[in-house]
Amino acid sequence: MKRVVLAIQNTLVCEAVLGALKKSGFHTEKTLSRLPDQIATVCDWFFADILLMDVNRAGDSAFDARMKTVRLVKKHAPSLKIGLLCDNVSDPEIAYRVKQAREAGEIDVFFYESVETDYLADVVDSL
């Protein structure tokens, strides 16, 4: 089964995603760190196949900071799949930037936080 690292700072979203992935049989690991090098280390340590992170306007979870993490993680593990979660209702600008990152091939998948967790788990499984 695939191994997924969650770097999701929103506790409610993180717990919902974690529950759905565990229910679907994924091996999951949460990281509370927001630092790119520490997230990359957790991905290496856990032999992760997929990294899921949330994106918002706040500090280390801001789009530019998350993209820095994406580049660092891809440098260490080019085959690692990366997904971003964002809130398209409260922040359409960030949602647009996340969509552009997907279109540019910088990330593998994105989700809006309003998507059902079972759907998210099924898409993650297809990566």
Side-chain angles (χ1 to χ4, degrees):
M1 189 44 71
K2 294 178 182 171
R3 296 175 173 270
V4 182
V5 170
L6 302 176
I8 300 173
Q9 301 307 312
N10 181 321
T11 305
L12 291 175
V13 173
C14 186
E15 291 303 318
V17 171
L18 180 67
L21 292 174
K22 283 187 173 187
K23 184 174 97 176
S24 295
F26 288 91
H27 298 285
T28 59
E29 181 70 26
K30 291 189 299 185
T31 176
L32 299 176
S33 177
R34 297 177 183 191
L35 302 174
D37 58 334
Q38 290 181 359
I39 293 171
T41 298
V42 170
C43 289
D44 287 343
W45 170 79
F46 193 61
F47 300 104
D49 301 299
I50 301 162
L51 169 62
L52 293 178
M53 298 185 289
D54 59 344
V55 180
N56 57 48
R57 290 199 174 273
D60 295 326
S61 296
F63 180 80
D64 292 332
R66 288 306 200 192
M67 293 311 295
K68 180 179 177 182
T69 303
V70 167
R71 288 187 293 278
L72 182 64
V73 168
K74 284 288 194 180
K75 182 178 176 182
H76 288 278
S79 64
L80 186 80
K81 303 293 184 186
I82 298 179
L84 297 179
L85 290 91
C86 62
D87 185 345
N88 65 315
V89 175
S90 68
D91 206 330
E93 178 187 334
I94 288 178
Y96 179 73
R97 291 181 75 190
V98 168
K99 180 181 167 212
Q100 285 183 313
R102 171 62 190 107
E103 289 172 351
E106 296 174 290
I107 61 171
D108 299 289
V109 68
F110 72 93
F111 302 97
Y112 297 135
E113 289 179 352
S114 60
V115 73
E116 293 204 20
T117 54
D118 289 341
Y119 173 76
L120 183 145
D122 287 344
V123 172
V124 168
D125 194 33
S126 73
L127 291 175

